[in-house]
Structures are given as C-alpha cells and as structure tokens.
Amino acid sequence: MPNTPPSNPPAAGQPPGAAPPPAGRQPRNRRLPAHERRDQILDAALHEFSERGFGAARMDDIAARAGLSKGGLYAHFESKNAVFQALMQRMLMPDLLFGERPPLAGAPAPEDALAARVDGFLDRAYERLEDDRFIRTLHLLVAEGPRLPDAIAGWRESHLRLLRRQQAMMRRGVEDGALRDSALTDAVQLVHAPILLAAILKLLQDEAHARSVLPRLRAAHRRLLLDQLREPGPD
Amino acid sequence: MPNTPPSNPPAAGQPPGAAPPPAGRQPRNRRLPAHERRDQILDAALHEFSERGFGAARMDDIAARAGLSKGGLYAHFESKNAVFQALMQRMLMPDLLFGERPPLAGAPAPEDALAARVDGFLDRAYERLEDDRFIRTLHLLVAEGPRLPDAIAGWRESHLRLLRRQQAMMRRGVEDGALRDSALTDAVQLVHAPILLAAILKLLQDEAHARSVLPRLRAAHRRLLLDQLREPGPD
Amino acid sequence: MPNTPPSNPPAAGQPPGAAPPPAGRQPRNRRLPAHERRDQILDAALHEFSERGFGAARMDDIAARAGLSKGGLYAHFESKNAVFQALMQRMLMPDLLFGERPPLAGAPAPEDALAARVDGFLDRAYERLEDDRFIRTLHLLVAEGPRLPDAIAGWRESHLRLLRRQQAMMRRGVEDGALRDSALTDAVQLVHAPILLAAILKLLQDEAHARSVLPRLRAAHRRLLLDQLREPGPD
Amino acid sequence: MPNTPPSNPPAAGQPPGAAPPPAGRQPRNRRLPAHERRDQILDAALHEFSERGFGAARMDDIAARAGLSKGGLYAHFESKNAVFQALMQRMLMPDLLFGERPPLAGAPAPEDALAARVDGFLDRAYERLEDDRFIRTLHLLVAEGPRLPDAIAGWRESHLRLLRRQQAMMRRGVEDGALRDSALTDAVQLVHAPILLAAILKLLQDEAHARSVLPRLRAAHRRLLLDQLREPGPD
DNA sequence: AATGAATGAGAGTTCATTCAT
DNA sequence: TATGAATGAACTCTCATTCAT
C-alpha cells in the first residue's frame, strides 16, 4: 500500500488500519534461542497480517514488532510467504472455528450433568472470544483463507475430521438417551453457529455494542442448547 | 504484494491469489455515461478487493476489469480509498449479514403459515449463498472491515437498526401468540447464525464439501426454526 | 509534481506553493474574441508558472484560471510549451529588468531638473514593484530563464540594446555637463541595481519586512543618485 | 514535466532544460557513511533542482547523480520535500545573498586601508560569482523561495540578522570617522546591490556578455564604494 | 470553439529481498 | 546471527494531450 498519500491526506476511514505501526525496538537484543525467536516472529506476523492483510503487511513492521531488524527476520524465514505458511501451520493444532473438543456429548448422565456440560462448553467458547489471538486468527483465516486455498488446506482437513468426530458423538448421545433427537443433533454446526456469529460481531461492531449484546446472546444460546438437547424426562 | 518472489520454492499455497489478473481490455471503448462506469468500476473493485485484499489489489487490475485505463479510473474516483468507500456505501442498502427483511414474524397466522414463512426465509437466505457478489461482499466486509472501522460505520449503524426492528417484530409475534416464546425470540441473531456459518463455510471449504453439507445444514436449520417457534397448539 | 503526498501530508513548507489552485469556473462562458481569450490565458499562465514553476504548473489550472476547460485551452495553444513561449513574447516588449525608458539622461537642465528627473525615475521604478504582474514576470524570468535560454533569447537581446542606449545617453549627459562623471556614468547598471535588489527582497522576504525596508532603501537610493550625478556647481 | 511533447514543432526554447539527464551510475558502490551520502545527495539535488526547478526535477536523476538507486535515496530522505528542506538548511549557514562577513566597516584606519578593505570585499564577492554552487543556490533560492515560504524561513531570518549587524557596523564606522556618512551608510544593501545584479546577469545572459560586462561593472562598483565611503581627508 | 472522459507515459513512494559489514 | 544501506520492481497517483460529443 505504497502511497496512502501521505500526501495523501490520511482522511478518516482510510484503509491503513487505525493502529500506528509498532513502536521502535529495544536496544540490541541478541541471540535468542531460535525457536523462541520464531514464536515471537509468528506472534508479530499474526498481529500484522490480521491488522493490515497479508498483502499490505510489511516485513519491516513484523520484524520491528518481533524485536529484530528486517535482515534478522530473513535469518529465520526465507520469505514473507514462508512466514505466512508457518503461521498457518501453528494456528492449525487446536481447531479454531469449531473448538478442539467435542462440545456436549458424552456418556449418559443425569439431567443436571447436561446443564453442567453445556455451561462448561459455553464458558470455554465465550472465553475464547476475549482472547485477542483467537480473534485475530479467525480474522486472518476468513480474510486470507479464500485467496490462499493451499495455505489452509491443513486447517480444512483437520476441521472436517473434527466435525465428523463431534457429529458421531452427538449421534451416540442420542442413542444412549442422553440427548434428545433434535435439529442440533442433526447438525452439530448449529451448536457452534452462535459463537461464530458472536466472533464476527466482535470483529465488525464496536466494543460497546459487543459488550451489551454478547451476554444476551450467550443466555439465549444456553436456553437453546438446553431446550433442544434435554430429554423430556420420564414424568 | 510488489514482487513475485522468484527465489524460494514456489510451494503450494503461496499467497498471491490463485486466479491470474483479469484479461486485457477492449480497444477504445470511449465515453460511457458516468454512472454506468461507476457501477462497472465498483463491480470490478469488489472482485479485485475480495480476491486479493484491499492492500494488495491493484488499481491497474480494477481499471482493466472495468474496461478502461488506470488514468481513466481516476476520473471517477480520486483514490483507491475512495473506491473502497463507495463500494461500502453501495453494499449498504440491503443488509448483507442479516437479511434486509424481517425473517419470520408477522401477523398471527395458522400453523401452515409459519412453515410457509420459514421456507420463504430459508429460500431467500440460502439462495443468496449462491450469489457470487453476496459472498464476495461478505468476505470483503469481514476481511477489511476490522481494519477500516470508519469505512463500515455506515454498515454498522444500518445493521443495528435492522436488528432492533427484527427483534421488536419477534416480540410482537410472541405477544400475538403467533410465535412461541423461545431462545430464538430472545435473540433474533440465533435465527441468522446458521446462515452466517454456511457462508463462512463456503468461503473456507471446497465446493464439494459445501455442496454436501449445505442441504443437511439447511434441513436442520428448518427443523430448528419450526421446533422453536411453533406454538404447541391447543390440543 | 505527482504526489506531494498526499500522500503526502501537506506539511508546512511543502513545495506546492501556499495558494490553493484557482477557484471553480463560472457557468458556461462562451465565445470570447480569440485575442481576448489569449490574453486571459497568458495572464493565467503567468500566475501559474510563477506560482509553481513551469514544470509543475498544470494545464488544468491554467485553463480553470482563464475560465475555460482544458480542452478549450488546447484550441488556443497547441502545447504547454507554446503557452510559455507566447508568454515570453508578451513579456518582452517593455524591458522588465531595467526599465523601458532611459533613466536619467537627457538634455542639459538646471539643477532642479536633475532632482525632478531622479524622482520621476524612482517613482516609476518603485511603483512597478507594487505591480503583481511585474513581480511575477521577474520571478518567472529569473526562475525559468536559466533553464530556457532559447525562450528568453528575445529578452536578452532587447535588454542589451536598451542598456547600450542608456549607457550612451549617460555618456552624452556627462559630455553636456548635465551629469557628473562618476561610477554611475561608468556603468548604468549601478543605477538600476538597488531596484533589482528591492524586487528580489519583495520576492523572498515577508511583506512586513519589505514595507519597512523599501522606503529607507529608496531614500538612500535617491541620495546616491543625486550625490553621484549632481554637477558640483560653479561655486 | 511528464511527457516530452513529440508533436509540436520542437522549436528552440522548449522548456526541458538543455543539459541531458546525468550519466549512468557506477556498478554497485555500496555502503557509504551516511553523512557522506547525504552530502552527495544534496549536491546532486542542488544541481537538479536548479537545472529543472523543484517541480520538474526527478528523484531518479538526483539518485543517479548521487550514485545510488531511487530506492536508496529514500533511505536517507523520506521525500522530495525533505531533500529540498535539507538543501535549504545546508545553504543557510553562510549568507548567500549578502555575504557572510561585514563588508567594509571596521576600526578606524588610514586611507589606504579603506581601499584595501574594499578590494578584499570585492575580491571575495566577485569570486563567488565564479562558483557554480553559489550561482545555483542563488538561482534556487530566487526561483523556489517565493513558492516555499516555509522552506526558506531559516534563510530569511539569518539574512535579517546579518543585515542588521552589517548596518550597525557601518554606523559605527561613520561615528569613528572611518567612513563618510553617505547613501551607502544609510543602507548597506546598496553596497551589495551591484553584486546581486551581476549574479542575475550571469544567470540570464550568455557567458560572452557576462565576461565582457563584469569587469567594467566591478570597476565601477569599486569607484562607487571609494567615492562614497572615503572621508574627504584633511587637506 | 468548447467540454471532459479517456489515454498513457511517467513521477514519487513503498517494500520484499539481498548483502557488505 | 544481526544490521541496515542498497536494489529494483511494483504500486498509487498525476498530467499533457487527444478526441467523441
């Protein structure tokens, strides 16, 4: 994004993201263990890529944010693409879009156990929304994923695996009589959908709105899960 | 994305979007009505911005796709930012993330009417997922929105207005006895969430997967809506 | 001067001259007599060339200032160069640097007549300093002349002729006993030098300073001329 | 001055300065001490700015003349404006228009001393006229100063200070009886005016004329100074 | 004559990448 | 390893000039 005119009058609403480039760098920090440096660099890259987009992110800024010089950065990664790839590798392990653990199913359990499990699930899910790195990773995935199909091939596969496993568990829960057969057991995604929506809301709406809406959304989400999954009971 | 790295292993998944630049331009198609040109340009811009991201999109490519020269483009928009702003304006009118019409509420109606209304809503919603421009606009909104808070201020406001109106209608539906009081009437967003999830799925997963999952998702979505909203009936 | 960033943040002190581009143009002014239009255009060109320099002046701005469109301008001048050439032609007639009339010499005259003639000369000379067009023309001549030797060939010649004539008159004044033989009659340029200095001062210093210095400079100039040229008298 | 007009009669006097762009660049002269490079760049910039004007000068040419690439140039100066500003800073120290040292005043001295001092002054002053950098700087100052009031604010101030100091010295010379009270002691500028005129002459007239006129001008200037400043003596 | 959309060749500026130190 | 000056290929934006209207 060369000009953005400086000249160019940086009028309100201009693309180069609100936050200014990272700050200067500390004085001479030498020789970190290579893998620590790599992590610092990837953190910096996550920040910059999500802040400006892959194309518009600058190696200079990534380097500065990671606390070394541009030249030093190239000692660890041979190109901008390589940084991006490595970032995608790292982001892969815990599934980001649909949670790394099966949400609700499990061995048969008393009624209260369902409520407990639902609350545990919601706790984890909505907590992640407060994690800056989670939000940025999601942003990056949605923003750059479509134009980099190959880069996220890994994510795609692991996501599919995860979904299948979760779907199977739901089915088993129904067979076991622990869960009611419902729309949610037809498609696990419906369990996750409100969280994705909440995340996107956080990305696009201002904090004030997010803070006021999220609790209501979560409460409704809870009601939905219990309503749909709770077995009517033997009365 | 200035220089195409000629050095390192051009491994699969390198960022420069898959699709090659647009095709060349017809010979001398002079003097279109200004508003027609503007529309052509905005279409082209939507394509390029969503394909490569705002930062990495090239004015040259937008111009070529719109059928004029780079210089000519600047006769209509004074900067890349201005193109982006105009695009965001245009995308604004029909709400993109949550549909421009109240989804399900209305005057009291017989049971069949609810099913009919639900189906109408789902028809519209899932049809839009097939519209390339809708998907691209959503992508652009999520990808660039967070770094351009001002640019999407308009969208944000209209989205809030819409949501409030829809929420009010749901409430009225409940009061009228047309809808059952449920998680969905607590938070309309739950009605839309599965569609957002479907859209993101289309962005990130390959077509094959999308084609196989979407119908099941839609069916479950339908079941959910009817289940939650249908009044138990007087029997 | 493409960017001047815009990008460039138009910080204080940036080259593109303080004054903003000319104002908009009146609504549809048609068909002026060609020579009137030419004059308007040349006036506009003088303004723009002196304000921004030949290279940085824009045909658009010249046209707007002259009250027509860029296309219309090209109906009168076939190129930017042509405008410049015509401007130089026009500026030529009255000598700009050294006054079009012999400054001080003439037929023998009584002592008072010298004072009167000196005052007349100074009146004319210092009045011209208040003429915007004179100052701009001088500026343009000094700014662009050195890089456009051919364009000012005409001026150069006429200036030489003028100088020679004036020198001859001075000599005759001395021979006639009307003027004292002095440094000034050795080189007429010395008579003009203070005025040139005053003009350059007006170009480079702020108005306040100019207003305060010019009168003192003029008074000293007057004293110098009378001192040097006045015949001691027959006492 | 983007496109060299290929159409109209390339008549004599077309703006694009006479001298062709600078020569090519040596092969890979890497890594100069930063301040040396800065100086080289400013020298190059002085040349190019004075040759073509600020607006029409090209960063490419400045870079080439300074012996590095355009991109390298931007490692030292962040914009064309910045180069100009720095150039103006550097030019500031010795006053360019009116000499850095008081011209003629001093402690009382025998008559011959006045002549000696006058000759010293003239030596220095007219020698500077042979210095290409002096002439170019003057040209640049007069050509671009008026459109860049802020850029020359520094020069303006230092020029005023200098003038005041010189004027005070003249006054003291008169009080000491070393100088005659005259037009020149009323306004020091009159002492410098002929030199400014000579400089402008060098800019605008061809060398031949300058060579023939300058000596006569200088002789007359000398006569003027001695005539005006020499105390009548007690004879 | 006049208009202004359109062209196309730059010009200023940015930035991934290299490499002497 | 680390640095940062240097390169060179883009990129955004400008502007003289053309030409359909």
Side-chain angles (χ1 to χ4, degrees):
Chain A
M1 216 157 25
N3 261 348
T4 316
S7 97
N8 316 33
Q14 95 283 30
R25 182 164 70 270
Q26 286 81 26
R28 301 252 149 202
N29 55 337
R30 283 294 179 72
R31 294 266 166 169
L32 249 63
H35 68 279
E36 247 176 78
R37 261 289 145 80
R38 271 183 72 96
D39 261 2
Q40 286 185 348
I41 291 173
L42 291 181
D43 285 351
L46 172 58
H47 192 106
E48 294 296 326
F49 284 156
S50 119
E51 197 93 344
R52 309 176 122 67
F54 173 86
R58 292 182 296 243
M59 291 297 265
D60 270 305
D61 289 346
I62 295 173
R65 188 177 289 278
L68 37 50
S69 73
K70 195 166 30 173
L73 176 49
Y74 276 87
H76 294 275
F77 293 94
E78 67 174 355
S79 74
K80 198 180 174 186
N81 284 348
V83 177
F84 189 85
Q85 298 279 343
L87 189 58
M88 287 292 158
Q89 291 307 317
R90 192 181 71 162
M91 106 169 29
L92 202 126
M93 301 132 182
D95 183 82
L96 276 162
L97 224 49
F98 291 108
E100 73 281 20
R101 284 203 281 163
L104 297 168
E111 192 182 315
D112 310 282
L114 178 65
R117 200 171 299 136
V118 161
D119 282 325
F121 166 70
L122 293 177
D123 275 351
R124 269 180 287 125
Y126 283 83
E127 240 163 55
R128 280 210 294 187
L129 294 184
E130 305 305 320
D131 178 2
D132 193 56
R133 290 182 27 165
F134 170 73
I135 291 285
R136 283 186 188 283
T137 304
L138 173 63
H139 182 199
L140 194 53
L141 186 65
V142 177
E144 309 295 339
R147 27 186 186 269
L148 307 171
D150 295 331
I152 61 163
W155 173 85
R156 252 186 341 236
E157 233 180 295
S158 87
H159 165 245
L160 286 185
R161 244 196 324 275
L162 198 75
L163 217 61
R164 250 177 244 125
R165 204 168 346 126
Q166 296 190 343
Q167 188 64 60
M169 285 178 168
M170 292 296 263
R171 235 181 336 259
R172 217 169 320 134
V174 172
E175 285 160 12
D176 294 348
L179 301 175
R180 178 155 77 91
D181 177 77
S182 68
L184 299 197
T185 60
D186 283 352
V188 233
Q189 293 99 331
L190 294 183
V191 173
H192 299 287
I195 298 163
L196 177 62
L197 185 138
I200 302 270
L201 221 70
K202 283 207 71 166
L203 276 173
L204 294 180
Q205 284 289 6
D206 50 292
E207 274 204 50
H209 178 250
R211 254 200 307 278
S212 84
V213 166
L214 251 61
R216 292 199 299 114
L217 191 59
R218 177 177 171 164
H221 193 184
R222 181 174 194 275
R223 187 182 178 190
L224 181 72
L225 294 182
L226 291 176
D227 229 46
Q228 290 276 308
L229 295 175
R230 179 177 287 149
E231 206 40 82
D235 49 342
Chain B
M1 219 154 22
N3 21 13
T4 324
S7 51
N8 32 332
Q14 94 239 280
R25 175 164 77 268
Q26 288 81 26
R28 301 248 150 199
N29 59 336
R30 288 290 196 74
R31 204 145 274 249
L32 247 63
H35 67 279
E36 246 177 79
R37 261 290 142 79
R38 266 184 75 96
D39 264 0
Q40 286 186 349
I41 291 172
L42 291 181
D43 287 350
L46 173 58
H47 192 105
E48 295 295 327
F49 284 157
S50 113
E51 196 92 346
R52 307 176 125 67
F54 174 86
R58 291 182 297 243
M59 290 298 263
D60 271 307
D61 290 345
I62 295 174
R65 187 176 290 277
L68 39 47
S69 70
K70 186 170 35 173
L73 177 48
Y74 278 87
H76 295 274
F77 294 94
E78 67 174 359
S79 72
K80 199 181 177 185
N81 284 350
V83 176
F84 189 85
Q85 298 276 348
L87 192 56
M88 288 291 157
Q89 290 306 317
R90 191 180 72 163
M91 102 168 33
L92 201 127
M93 301 133 184
D95 184 85
L96 276 163
L97 225 48
F98 291 108
E100 74 280 21
R101 284 203 281 162
L104 297 167
E111 190 182 316
D112 310 282
L114 179 65
R117 201 172 297 137
V118 161
D119 283 324
F121 166 70
L122 293 176
D123 275 352
R124 268 179 288 124
Y126 285 81
E127 240 162 54
R128 280 210 294 188
L129 294 184
E130 305 305 320
D131 178 1
D132 192 56
R133 291 187 20 169
F134 171 74
I135 291 286
R136 282 185 188 283
T137 304
L138 173 64
H139 180 202
L140 195 52
L141 187 65
V142 177
E144 309 295 340
R147 27 187 188 270
L148 306 171
D150 294 333
I152 63 162
W155 174 85
R156 248 178 354 226
E157 232 180 295
S158 87
H159 164 244
L160 287 185
R161 244 195 324 274
L162 197 75
L163 219 60
R164 249 177 245 127
R165 205 169 344 128
Q166 295 190 344
Q167 188 64 62
M169 285 177 166
M170 293 297 263
R171 236 183 333 259
R172 215 169 321 135
V174 172
E175 286 160 12
D176 294 347
L179 301 176
R180 178 155 76 92
D181 177 77
S182 68
L184 299 197
T185 60
D186 283 350
V188 233
Q189 291 100 329
L190 294 182
V191 172
H192 299 288
I195 298 164
L196 177 61
L197 185 138
I200 303 266
L201 222 71
K202 284 208 68 167
L203 277 174
L204 294 179
Q205 285 288 7
D206 52 291
E207 274 203 51
H209 178 250
R211 253 200 308 278
S212 84
V213 166
L214 252 59
R216 291 201 298 115
L217 190 59
R218 176 177 172 163
H221 192 184
R222 182 173 192 276
R223 186 181 178 190
L224 179 73
L225 294 182
L226 290 176
D227 230 44
Q228 289 275 307
L229 296 174
R230 180 177 286 149
E231 207 41 79
D235 47 345
Chain C
M1 210 158 26
N3 260 345
T4 315
S7 45
N8 321 8
Q14 95 283 28
R25 182 162 70 271
Q26 285 80 28
R28 303 252 148 200
N29 56 337
R30 283 293 179 73
R31 295 267 165 166
L32 251 62
H35 67 279
E36 247 177 78
R37 261 288 145 81
R38 272 183 70 96
D39 261 2
Q40 286 186 348
I41 291 173
L42 291 181
D43 286 350
L46 172 59
H47 193 106
E48 294 296 327
F49 285 156
S50 118
E51 196 94 344
R52 307 176 124 69
F54 174 85
R58 291 182 297 244
M59 290 298 264
D60 271 306
D61 289 346
I62 295 173
R65 188 177 289 279
L68 37 48
S69 71
K70 196 166 28 173
L73 177 49
Y74 276 87
H76 294 276
F77 293 95
E78 68 174 357
S79 74
K80 198 181 177 186
N81 284 349
V83 176
F84 189 85
Q85 297 280 343
L87 190 57
M88 288 292 159
Q89 291 307 318
R90 193 182 71 163
M91 104 167 34
L92 203 125
M93 301 132 183
D95 182 83
L96 276 162
L97 225 48
F98 291 108
E100 73 281 20
R101 283 201 280 162
L104 296 168
E111 191 182 315
D112 309 283
L114 178 65
R117 202 171 296 138
V118 161
D119 283 323
F121 167 70
L122 292 176
D123 275 351
R124 268 179 288 126
Y126 284 82
E127 239 162 56
R128 280 211 294 188
L129 294 183
E130 306 304 319
D131 178 3
D132 193 57
R133 291 184 25 166
F134 171 74
I135 291 286
R136 283 186 188 284
T137 305
L138 173 63
H139 181 201
L140 194 53
L141 187 64
V142 177
E144 308 294 339
R147 28 187 187 269
L148 307 170
D150 295 332
I152 62 163
W155 173 85
R156 245 176 358 225
E157 232 179 295
S158 87
H159 164 245
L160 286 185
R161 242 194 327 273
L162 197 75
L163 219 60
R164 250 177 243 123
R165 205 170 343 126
Q166 295 189 344
Q167 188 64 60
M169 284 177 167
M170 292 297 263
R171 232 175 345 251
R172 217 170 319 134
V174 173
E175 286 160 12
D176 294 346
L179 301 175
R180 179 156 75 91
D181 177 76
S182 67
L184 299 197
T185 60
D186 283 351
V188 232
Q189 292 99 330
L190 294 183
V191 172
H192 298 288
I195 299 163
L196 177 61
L197 185 139
I200 303 266
L201 221 71
K202 283 207 69 166
L203 276 173
L204 294 181
Q205 284 288 6
D206 51 292
E207 273 204 52
H209 178 251
R211 254 200 306 279
S212 85
V213 166
L214 252 60
R216 292 200 298 114
L217 192 59
R218 177 178 170 162
H221 193 184
R222 183 174 192 273
R223 187 180 179 191
L224 181 72
L225 294 183
L226 291 176
D227 230 45
Q228 290 276 306
L229 295 174
R230 181 178 286 149
E231 207 41 79
D235 50 341
Chain D
M1 221 155 21
N3 22 13
T4 324
S7 49
N8 32 333
Q14 96 239 275
R25 174 164 78 269
Q26 287 81 26
R28 302 248 151 196
N29 59 335
R30 288 290 195 75
R31 203 146 274 249
L32 247 63
H35 67 278
E36 245 175 79
R37 260 291 142 81
R38 265 184 77 95
D39 264 0
Q40 286 185 349
I41 291 172
L42 291 182
D43 286 350
L46 172 58
H47 192 104
E48 294 295 327
F49 284 157
S50 113
E51 195 93 345
R52 307 176 124 67
F54 174 87
R58 292 182 297 244
M59 290 298 263
D60 273 305
D61 290 345
I62 295 174
R65 188 177 289 277
L68 38 47
S69 70
K70 188 166 38 170
L73 176 48
Y74 278 87
H76 295 274
F77 293 94
E78 67 175 358
S79 71
K80 198 180 176 186
N81 284 350
V83 176
F84 189 85
Q85 298 275 348
L87 191 57
M88 288 291 157
Q89 290 305 315
R90 193 180 70 164
M91 103 167 35
L92 201 127
M93 301 134 183
D95 183 84
L96 276 161
L97 227 47
F98 291 108
E100 75 280 20
R101 284 201 280 161
L104 297 168
E111 193 182 315
D112 311 283
L114 178 65
R117 201 171 297 136
V118 161
D119 283 324
F121 167 69
L122 293 176
D123 275 351
R124 268 180 287 125
Y126 284 83
E127 240 162 54
R128 280 211 292 187
L129 295 183
E130 305 306 320
D131 178 1
D132 193 54
R133 292 189 18 171
F134 171 73
I135 291 285
R136 283 186 188 283
T137 304
L138 173 64
H139 181 201
L140 195 52
L141 186 65
V142 177
E144 309 295 339
R147 25 187 189 271
L148 306 171
D150 294 331
I152 62 162
W155 174 84
R156 247 176 357 224
E157 231 180 296
S158 86
H159 164 245
L160 286 186
R161 244 196 323 275
L162 197 75
L163 219 60
R164 249 176 245 127
R165 205 170 343 128
Q166 296 190 344
Q167 187 65 60
M169 285 178 166
M170 293 296 263
R171 234 180 338 256
R172 216 169 320 135
V174 172
E175 286 160 12
D176 295 346
L179 301 176
R180 180 155 74 91
D181 177 76
S182 68
L184 299 197
T185 60
D186 283 350
V188 232
Q189 291 99 333
L190 295 183
V191 173
H192 299 288
I195 298 164
L196 177 61
L197 185 139
I200 302 267
L201 222 71
K202 283 208 69 167
L203 277 173
L204 294 180
Q205 284 289 5
D206 51 292
E207 274 203 51
H209 178 252
R211 252 200 308 278
S212 83
V213 165
L214 252 59
R216 292 201 298 116
L217 191 58
R218 175 176 172 166
H221 192 183
R222 182 175 193 275
R223 186 181 179 190
L224 180 72
L225 294 182
L226 290 176
D227 228 43
Q228 290 275 307
L229 295 174
R230 179 176 287 150
E231 207 40 81
D235 51 341

